[in-house]
């Protein structure tokens, strides 16, 4: 073979391929579930360790009728789909047709989306709680539970409802009336255009009405009737303080709440996490954004699951439980004390008392320091600007006027003994420092000051403040962030389980517990003993 001449192009030969071709491949379903993977762990735990006989009560087709799907198959598909961010039942149906791992889990069966949706929404609180306890038992046998320190926190879960449908009953009545007025205006415009057309002046429907006025009119009427029906069937919702809170026409058990993405309509999904391997020992969704009243339910649920998993009668007694400032309330602290747990819950101002942050201001950038100085600049005189003489028990204001006692000594709700003083009205009216002393100088009211003489009685909140301010308390509480926050990062950011596709607190709570099951099953796959 001779050497090719210079400048002559040589064509290379490659094997042909075509991505549009169809192949028939023999697949072993068992080989798709490799040990050590999450899908294999889901398959093993659901198939071998969970008791799903409670689901058999729904089927009465032993004598006749079409066979139903095994609940084990449906549960495996749902758990694996949730772990991959497939929250929609239609996406799960498509995955069972197109993805080989899903085909392996359901053994080639193809449950439709309505079957999957009915299975999840109809699972019920008792069944999902039983499944949660059984998975937690597997975690305990795999030595994943430490049982010494637990952290509680909440995650704002967007619901399947629009926040635009929220409002007090008065707001909803105004919205209903506005929709009815739009319907009447729509009809008047349509009648006006009809008369113009009959008079031969030409119809103006293209400019005055939308392209499909009939559909728009029907949609406005449905919205008004929906709000009207909601107002007739539902009473105003009451908040923890006894005042009315906003209702929602689509999902009245959800609530508006602040999240990292702004204001959302959703649920407050709480989780209680064990410190050793971040296993969730209890999860529950609440229809309020406030964490100040959830400790009782969280402690009771965690105790039930841990008792089933570990066999202890009182698994939380004398154990450390930490929570952030959102849980600092008398109701929560009473729940912690009743459960006899060693709780660490800081108040919202505890960082201002931290000695390590005393010099934090001087380490800020110049721009940040200027903003902080502007925000914290005092405009009015405070209590420490008044001089108190302990010998005579007299109080002098910065202008040199003497304040007199008004009322006897009393004890505040925080347990401090205090004395109230008031300046003479005539002295304040002519005082040159009036604008710096009174927030509302035009009101004519004199300045009042309260002098505290120390704590007389201890309260739950005062004891918790003293406890969290100790070096040991701050050190224990500092572990909370690394225990519970990565759990929400895994569920929301990594797995995509950051919203609920269902409506109603019971159904959303079921779906949240399924999300928590996915997290615990992944802990079993990664840190548990190898499963063969």
């Amino acid at each position: 073979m001779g050497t090719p001449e210079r400048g002559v192009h040589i064509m290379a030969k490659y094997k042909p391929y075509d991505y549009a071709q169809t192949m028939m491949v023999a697949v072993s379903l068992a080989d798709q579930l490799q040990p050590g993977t999450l899908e294999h762990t889901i398959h093993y735990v659901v198939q071998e360790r969970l008791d799903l006989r409670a689901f058999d009560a729904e089927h009465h087709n032993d004598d006749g009728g079409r066979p139903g799907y095994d609940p084990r198959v449906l549960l495996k598909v749902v758990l694996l789909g949730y772990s991959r961010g497939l929250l929609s039942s239609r996406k799960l149906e498509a995955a069972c047709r197109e993805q080989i791992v899903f085909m392996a889990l359901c053994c080639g069966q193809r449950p439709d989306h309505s079957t999957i949706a009915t299975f999840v929404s109809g699972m019920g609180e008792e069944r999902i709680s039983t499944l949660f306890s059984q998975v937690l038992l597997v975690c305990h046998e795999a030595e994943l539970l430490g049982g010494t320190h637990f952290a509680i926190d909440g995650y704002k879960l967007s619901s399947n409802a629009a926040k635009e449908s929220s409002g007090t009953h008065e707001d909803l009545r105004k919205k209903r009336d506005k929709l009815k007025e739009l319907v009447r205006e729509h009809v008047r415009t349509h009648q006006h255009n009809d008369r113009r057309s009959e008079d031969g002046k030409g119809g103006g429907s293209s400019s005055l009405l939308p392209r499909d006025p009939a559909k728009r009119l029907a949609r406005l009427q449905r919205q008004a009737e929906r709000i009207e029906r909601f107002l007739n069937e539902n009473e105003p919702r009451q908040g923890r303080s006894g005042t009315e809170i906003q209702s929602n026409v689509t999902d009245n058990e959800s609530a508006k709440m602040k999240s990292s993405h702004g204001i959302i309509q959703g649920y407050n999904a709480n989780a209680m996490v064990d410190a050793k391997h971040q296993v969730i020992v209890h999860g529950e969704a609440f229809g309020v954004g406030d964490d100040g009243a959830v400790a009782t339910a969280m402690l009771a649920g965690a105790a039930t699951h841990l008792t089933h998993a570990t066999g202890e009668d009182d698994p939380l007694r004398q154990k450390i439980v930490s929570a952030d400032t959102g849980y600092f309330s008398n109701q929560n602290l009473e729940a912690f004390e009743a459960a006899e747990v060693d709780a660490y819950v800081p108040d919202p101002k505890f960082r201002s008392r931290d000695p390590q942050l005393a010099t934090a201001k001087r380490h800020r950038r110049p721009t940040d320091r200027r903003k902080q100085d502007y925000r914290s600049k005092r405009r009015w005189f405070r209590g420490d600007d008044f001089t108190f003489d302990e010998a005579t028990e007299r109080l002098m204001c910065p202008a040199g006027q003497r304040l007199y006692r008004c009322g006897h000594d009393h004890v505040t709700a925080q347990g401090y003994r205090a004395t109230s003083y008031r300046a003479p009205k005539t002295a304040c009216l002519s005082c040159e420092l009036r604008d710096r002393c009174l927030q509302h100088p035009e009101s004519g009211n004199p300045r009042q000051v309260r002098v505290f003489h120390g704590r007389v009685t201890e309260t739950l909140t005062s004891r918790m403040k003293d406890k969290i301010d100790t070096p040991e308390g701050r050190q224990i509480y500092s572990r909370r962030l690394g225990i519970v926050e990565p759990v929400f990062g895994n569920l929301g950011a990594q797995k995509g389980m950051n919203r609920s596709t269902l409506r109603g607190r019971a159904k959303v709570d079921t779906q949240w517990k399924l999300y928590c099951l996915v997290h615990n099953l992944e802990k079993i796959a990664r840190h548990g003993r190898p499963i063969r």
Side-chain angles (χ1 to χ4, degrees), residues 155-159 251-255 257 264-269 285-288 500 502-506 508:
Y155 182 77
K156 302 304 185 289
L157 203 65
S158 298
S159 64
D251 183 2
N252 196 32
E253 293 184 302
S254 63
M257 53 189 69
I264 65 168
Q265 186 74 32
Y267 287 85
N268 185 10
F286 301 91
V288 291
S500 175
L502 303 176
R503 294 172 182 168
R505 198 207 69 83
V508 173

Side-chain angles (χ1 to χ4, degrees), residues 29-65:
L29 299 182
D31 292 342
Q32 308 307 314
L33 307 175
Q34 294 296 318
T37 61
L38 178 58
E39 52 266 25
H40 179 267
T41 302
I42 292 175
H43 168 67
Y44 168 77
V45 173
V46 174
Q47 191 71 29
E48 304 294 337
R49 301 303 307 274
L50 300 187
D51 183 4
L52 273 65
R53 287 178 295 180
F55 291 87
D56 296 340
E58 295 182 355
H59 299 278
H60 304 282
N61 55 353
D62 50 347
D63 296 332

Side-chain angles (χ1 to χ4, degrees), residues 376 378 380-386 398 436-437 447 449:
S376 61
R378 292 194 306 167
W380 298 286
F381 292 128
R382 297 188 307 191
D384 51 7
D385 293 317
F386 291 73
R436 292 191 58 192
C437 194
R447 176 62 187 265
V449 180

Side-chain angles (χ1 to χ4, degrees), residues 30-148:
D31 292 342
Q32 308 307 314
L33 307 175
Q34 294 296 318
T37 61
L38 178 58
E39 52 266 25
H40 179 267
T41 302
I42 292 175
H43 168 67
Y44 168 77
V45 173
V46 174
Q47 191 71 29
E48 304 294 337
R49 301 303 307 274
L50 300 187
D51 183 4
L52 273 65
R53 287 178 295 180
F55 291 87
D56 296 340
E58 295 182 355
H59 299 278
H60 304 282
N61 55 353
D62 50 347
D63 296 332
R66 182 179 179 181
Y69 289 99
D70 193 315
R72 292 177 178 80
V73 171
L74 298 177
L75 183 58
K76 293 175 187 178
V77 170
V78 169
L79 292 174
L80 181 61
Y82 284 178
S83 71
R84 300 188 177 187
L86 304 178
L87 308 183
S88 167
S89 58
R90 293 184 181 273
K91 291 183 179 180
L92 293 176
E93 177 188 358
C96 293
R97 295 195 311 264
E98 301 167 358
Q99 298 187 28
I100 189 64
V101 177
F102 283 87
M103 295 179 186
L105 277 179
C106 60
C107 291
Q109 300 180 16
R110 297 181 178 181
D112 59 276
H113 64 275
S114 61
T115 300
I116 297 174
T118 302
F119 173 75
V120 174
S121 60
M123 190 171 294
E125 182 178 356
E126 183 177 353
R127 291 175 184 171
I128 187 61
S129 296
T130 302
L131 295 181
F132 194 96
S133 296
Q134 293 176 16
V135 172
L136 199 62
L137 174 60
V138 179
C139 294
H140 174 65
E141 294 176 351
E143 299 179 357
L144 300 181
L145 297 179
T148 57

Side-chain angles (χ1 to χ4, degrees), residues 245-261:
I245 60 176
Q246 292 188 358
S247 304
N248 186 271
V249 178
T250 308
D251 183 2
N252 196 32
E253 293 184 302
S254 63
K256 275 187 177 179
M257 53 189 69
K258 294 181 180 179
S259 72
S260 57
H261 305 289

